[in-house]
């Protein structure tokens, strides 16, 4: 019998929002796996409410749940313990420190080119930032491109921390220019996330 | 570096008195506006006030025509109007830097033969009054008050910019069935329901048309991945234009389908994308979310924002969609809430109401706050209709 071509492992996932989905897809694909259906995407509190259901599903097939730590706990391990006590065998439960934006910030060269800013403006240790989203918005403020500034930074009076097309621009960056492998050298939480995915893929073989 | 292009004018504020179901409206308008409210709260009526101004200056329009088209003054006047029964519309026109570059105001009532006549018409430029009617000539000849100065080229010379701007307002509420059966709306021009939509596409120059259809085709692939190509062709016998799309499937060449076979969602999305690319003036949209998948709807606000940062075009849209309002980039001042009461519908931005502001500031999404607030009082009763 002809040996079958090895087909890639398909992960199901649940995330907070549309940007996380794209980031996750890039990370999973960089490990040679495929991202299948992605659930949630209606905010963190909804995701936390459903967490134990996703965990139950991870008894049967490989799953990834990705959450932002934000300001909810001092560090990822304590948040993890508070949110989900026992992990199903095929569950990869990851918390980005403090938000998935810090993973994007970790590829400084690409981000500087995308935002049209000098690379030296981008902090070298993204995981130490208390609010990476705010950092990104402030970096966009320095952009040499007017459209980027208008789209990513909030208009006075909008009452929002981000601009009207911040999400769309971030998705564009994550999809086209961000390099997960490079970023993982500068972000411990991303690096550990990548190795956990590789480990789960190994378990499937 | 590219020079910053001047952004087009937009409506920056709207004031209404006794207009349809509103006794009084006073609201600022941003570049992007979402109107949210229960059914029959008056979202379309609010948009219609802008269309009314457009109809004043449109080809074949004018004051009399605009009132008659809407069933006369008695149909337009709010039922809650009492002591001051005149209908009034006032808009500010300008930009972020100069929100009141112009103001235009018209108020009207009807005489005892049920004919509409103008009670007041006023134009200001940078705060200085240019026109204030009734003037001496109107006193001498009251018949003059059946026409606005706005609609007359002889009279609007000093504020032609206002008239030209109002002409660019466009309203769109695509009804897919009308695109498929254009015979139903023969002779209509710029029909907001899409009756002459294909003719509109055919009227643009070939170069523009091809460029736009290619862009639309690319954007459509997100929602309709199997759609490979989009083009316009003319039926050689009847000469009628048709859209056709090439769908990928198991046959190596794929298969061409015309608009008759397109789904409702595909046609609505094509109509929406075309309207966004066509023109520069304020675009009024009715529930762009209809027939679209929630994951597509969710990105509409972002798409509008990106178009606007390029062109500066104003987009006012009514919506019932939780998915659309879930977007974190929607400013609190971009959402206008309509809430019915015995004294007509009240209108405010989401941020003007303290209870809404408190909830939004606490981190709830716009959808989580606004949809429950604008839900009909006894929506659950509808289930009892089933018996």
């Amino acid at each position: 019998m002809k040996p079958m071509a090895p087909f890639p492992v398909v992960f199901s996932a649940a995330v907070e929002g549309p940007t996380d989905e794209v980031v996750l897809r890039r990370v999973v694909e960089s490990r040679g796996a495929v991202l299948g259906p992605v659930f949630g995407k209606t905010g963190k509190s909804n995701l936390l409410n459903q967490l134990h259901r996703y965990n139950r599903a991870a008894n049967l097939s490989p799953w990834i749940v990705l959450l932002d730590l934000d300001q909810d706990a001092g560090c990822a391990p304590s948040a993890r313990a508070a949110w989900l006590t026992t992990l199903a065998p095929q569950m990869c439960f990851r918390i980005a420190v403090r938000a998935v934006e810090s993973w994007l910030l970790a590829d400084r060269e690409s981000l500087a080119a995308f935002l049209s800013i000098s690379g030296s403006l981008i902090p070298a240790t993204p995981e130490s930032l208390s609010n990476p989203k705010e950092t990104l918005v402030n970096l966009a403020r320095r952009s040499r491109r007017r459209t980027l500034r208008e789209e990513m930074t909030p208009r006075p009076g909008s009452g929002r921390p981000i601009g009207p097309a911040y999400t769309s621009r971030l998705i564009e960056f994550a999809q086209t220019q961000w390099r997960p492998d490079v970023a993982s050298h500068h972000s411990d939480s991303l690096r550990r996330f990548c190795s956990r995915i590789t480990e789960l893929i190994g378990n499937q073989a | 570096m590219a020079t910053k292009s001047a952004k087009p004018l937009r409506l920056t504020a709207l004031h209404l008195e006794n207009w349809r179901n509103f006794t009084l409206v006073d609201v600022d308008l941003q570049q992007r506006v979402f109107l949210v409210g229960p059914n029959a709260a008056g979202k379309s009526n609010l948009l219609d006030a802008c269309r009314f101004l457009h109809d004043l200056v449109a080809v074949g329009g004018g004051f009399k025509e605009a009132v008659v088209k809407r069933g006369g003054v008695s149909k337009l006047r709010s039922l809650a109007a009492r002591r001051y029964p005149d209908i009034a519309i006032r808009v500010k026109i300008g930009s972020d830097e100069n929100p009141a570059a112009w103001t235009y105001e018209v108020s009207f009532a009807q005489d005892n033969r049920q004919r509409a006549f103008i009670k007041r018409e006023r134009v200001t430029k940078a705060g200085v009054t240019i026109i204030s009617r009734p003037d001496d000539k109107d006193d001498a000849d009251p018949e003059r008050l059946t026409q606005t100065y706005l609609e007359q080229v002889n009279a609007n010379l000093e504020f032609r910019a206002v008239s030209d701007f109002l002409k660019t307002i466009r309203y769109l509420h695509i009804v897919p069935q009308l695109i498929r059966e254009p015979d139903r709306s023969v002779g209509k021009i710029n029909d907001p329901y899409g009756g002459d939509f294909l003719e509109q596409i055919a009227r643009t120059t070939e170069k523009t048309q091809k460029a736009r259809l290619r862009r639309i085709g690319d954007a459509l692939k997100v929602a309709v991945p199997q759609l490979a190509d989009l083009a316009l062709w003319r039926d050689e016998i009847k000469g009628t234009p048709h859209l056709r799309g090439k769908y990928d499937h198991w046959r190596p060449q794929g298969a061409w389908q015309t608009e008759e076979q397109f789904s409702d969602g595909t046609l609505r999305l094509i109509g929406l994308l075309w309207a966004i690319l066509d023109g520069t003036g304020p675009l009024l949209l009715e529930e762009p979310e209809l027939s679209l998948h929630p994951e597509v709807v969710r990105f509409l606000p972002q798409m509008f924002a990106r178009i606007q940062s390029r062109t500066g075009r104003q987009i006012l849209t009514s919506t019932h969609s939780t998915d659309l309002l879930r977007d974190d980039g929607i400013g609190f001042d971009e959402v206008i809430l309509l809430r019915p009461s015995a004294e007509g519908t009240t209108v405010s931005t989401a941020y003007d109401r303290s209870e809404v502001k408190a909830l939004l500031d606490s981190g709830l999404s716009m959808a989580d706050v606004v949809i429950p607030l604008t839900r009909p009082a006894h929506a659950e009763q509808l289930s009892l209709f089933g018996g």
Side-chain angles (χ1 to χ4, degrees):
Chain A
M1 207 169 90
K2 246 169 65 177
M4 271 177 33
F7 44 87
V9 178
V10 180
F11 285 92
S12 304
V15 294
E16 288 184 27
T19 317
D20 309 284
E21 177 179 356
V22 177
V23 171
L24 186 61
R25 175 159 284 123
R26 291 295 318 280
V27 173
V28 168
E29 284 170 2
S30 76
R31 313 320 296 169
V34 168
L35 190 63
V38 178
F39 299 83
K41 292 189 272 181
T42 57
K44 186 175 190 174
S45 52
N46 289 342
L47 187 51
L48 285 171
N49 284 338
Q50 306 293 338
L51 196 51
H52 65 281
R53 299 194 174 87
Y54 299 137
N55 194 41
R56 208 179 305 153
N59 282 314
L60 304 168
S61 60
W63 262 80
I64 301 170
V65 173
L66 180 61
L67 274 162
D68 287 349
L69 178 61
D70 298 322
Q71 308 301 326
D72 292 354
C75 59
S78 62
R80 208 182 147 94
W83 288 335
L84 196 61
T85 39
T86 41
L87 283 189
Q90 301 187 65
M91 171 60 98
C92 171
F93 179 42
R94 276 298 128 175
I95 296 164
V97 180
R98 303 267 165 180
V100 81
E101 274 89 347
S102 68
W103 292 356
L104 298 176
L105 282 159
D107 182 0
R108 291 171 73 193
E109 209 178 84
S110 308
L111 185 64
F114 179 78
L115 289 180
S116 280
I117 54 172
S118 147
S120 62
L121 293 171
I122 302 176
T125 52
E127 300 214 335
S128 64
L129 298 169
S130 61
N131 189 344
K133 188 175 264 192
E134 192 179 83
T135 307
L136 244 169
V137 171
N138 286 331
L139 288 172
R141 239 181 264 283
R142 314 273 302 257
S143 173
R144 288 185 282 265
R145 290 173 57 195
R146 177 187 59 86
T147 46
L148 269 186
R149 291 195 303 272
E150 282 183 5
E151 290 171 9
M152 294 185 73
T153 63
R155 192 169 38 76
S158 81
R160 292 285 194 182
I162 57 173
Y166 172 87
T167 311
S168 155
R169 282 291 179 185
L170 220 53
I171 286 175
E172 185 186 341
F173 170 65
Q175 217 155 36
T176 58
Q177 295 176 37
W178 183 61
R179 298 164 299 173
D181 289 326
V182 174
S184 67
H185 292 303
H186 302 102
S187 163
D188 201 38
S189 67
L190 178 58
R191 188 182 50 75
R192 280 184 286 120
F193 179 39
C194 291
S195 45
R196 172 72 179 145
I197 293 176
T198 310
E199 186 188 319
L200 277 175
I201 294 171
N203 292 348
Q204 298 291 314
Chain B
M1 215 173 105
T3 50
K4 188 180 168 179
S5 56
K7 292 213 164 164
L9 292 171
R10 64 174 165 88
L11 300 166
T12 55
L14 177 67
H15 174 94
L16 301 175
E17 287 168 34
N18 301 321
W19 173 264
R20 295 186 179 267
N21 61 327
F22 305 103
T23 313
L24 184 67
V25 171
D26 226 331
V27 71
D28 285 342
L29 301 174
Q30 304 301 325
Q31 199 176 67
R32 192 174 57 158
V33 177
F34 300 94
L35 302 169
V36 192
N39 294 115
K43 297 184 291 293
S44 306
N45 289 346
L46 202 72
L47 295 179
D48 191 46
C50 306
R51 292 177 71 192
F52 182 82
L53 294 175
H54 168 263
D55 290 350
L56 290 181
V57 292
V59 179
F63 173 67
K64 197 174 155 195
E65 179 64 28
V67 173
V68 169
K69 196 171 142 187
R70 288 166 173 78
V73 173
S74 53
K75 289 272 163 53
L76 280 176
R77 178 154 55 215
S78 165
L79 294 174
R82 274 174 290 215
R83 278 184 61 200
Y84 305 102
D86 299 347
I87 302 172
I89 303 180
R90 184 170 74 226
V91 285
K92 287 185 193 165
I93 299 164
S95 57
D96 281 343
E97 295 76 34
N98 184 10
W102 298 94
T103 64
Y104 178 78
E105 178 184 350
V106 61
S107 71
F108 56 96
Q110 63 182 359
D111 61 17
N112 46 21
R113 286 157 57 203
Q114 299 190 331
R115 290 187 315 173
F117 72 97
I118 291 156
K119 292 282 286 270
R120 189 173 148 90
E121 187 182 19
R122 212 165 152 250
V123 183
T124 70
K125 181 184 185 180
V128 180
T129 304
I130 306 183
I131 296 286
S132 182
R133 296 178 73 195
D135 54 22
D136 298 344
K137 291 181 202 155
D138 296 325
D139 292 341
D141 177 13
E143 196 59 27
R144 292 167 57 88
L145 290 170
T146 59
Q147 285 189 340
T148 59
Y149 277 7
L150 183 73
E151 71 202 70
Q152 303 171 44
V153 278
N154 295 330
N156 71 15
L157 183 64
E158 282 178 274
F159 58 105
R160 188 76 44 82
V162 173
S163 155
D164 287 346
F165 166 74
L166 294 174
K167 267 184 207 151
T168 64
I169 294 177
R170 253 195 92 182
Y171 171 82
L172 185 80
H173 188 188
I174 289 269
V175 179
Q177 207 51 35
L178 288 183
I179 300 183
R180 293 194 194 100
E181 297 176 35
D183 294 352
R184 287 174 193 246
S185 31
V186 168
K188 290 209 170 150
I189 290 184
N190 286 333
D191 178 25
Y193 306 104
D196 67 336
F197 176 63
L198 299 174
E199 283 290 349
Q200 283 181 43
I201 297 181
R203 272 200 298 273
T204 50
T205 63
E206 194 179 332
K207 196 175 156 206
T208 314
Q209 180 198 98
K210 280 205 168 135
R212 282 186 191 161
L213 286 179
R214 189 169 52 243
R215 245 181 110 182
I216 292 172
D218 287 346
L220 264 181
K221 271 179 212 153
V222 176
V224 194
Q226 62 278 35
L227 185 72
D229 200 2
L230 192 65
L232 192 88
W233 64 286
R234 264 187 198 278
D235 176 338
E236 283 183 8
I237 299 159
K238 285 206 262 171
T240 45
H242 292 281
L243 265 183
R244 56 178 196 171
K246 189 176 179 183
Y247 284 80
D248 279 336
H249 62 99
W250 56 270
R251 284 192 189 91
Q253 298 300 317
W256 288 93
Q257 292 194 335
T258 68
E259 72 278 356
E260 286 165 29
Q261 290 130 354
F262 285 177
S263 76
D264 280 11
T266 308
L267 278 177
R268 280 222 175 83
L269 202 49
I270 293 174
L272 173 67
L273 296 171
W274 180 271
I276 282 174
L277 296 177
D278 189 35
T280 55
L283 178 63
L284 316 174
L285 298 173
E286 293 270 17
E287 300 179 35
E289 70 265 22
L290 290 175
S291 311
L292 300 180
H293 190 280
E295 291 272 333
V296 173
V297 171
R298 192 169 184 160
F299 288 101
L300 292 179
Q302 300 269 330
M303 178 184 78
F304 294 166
R306 287 184 69 154
I307 288 279
Q308 289 176 322
S309 80
R310 254 180 354 98
T311 65
R313 184 174 196 185
Q314 187 172 33
I315 300 177
L316 293 90
T317 167
S318 66
T319 182
H320 283 293
S321 167
T322 323
D323 301 288
L324 191 147
L325 293 169
R326 190 157 272 135
D327 188 282
D328 291 336
I330 297 178
F332 300 157
D333 54 356
E334 291 179 309
V335 175
I336 292 181
L337 297 175
L338 284 79
R339 304 223 266 169
S341 73
E343 293 295 311
T345 297
T346 60
V347 178
S348 60
T349 67
Y351 224 38
D352 288 338
R353 304 184 74 100
S354 54
E355 78 274 23
V356 179
K357 186 174 185 296
L359 287 169
L360 290 171
D361 284 340
S362 76
L364 275 177
S365 84
M366 186 70 80
D368 292 334
V369 177
V370 162
I371 296 289
L373 265 181
T374 57
R375 106 188 243 279
H378 302 289
E380 69 284 353
Q381 295 292 320
L382 189 60
S383 67
L384 307 183
F385 180 77

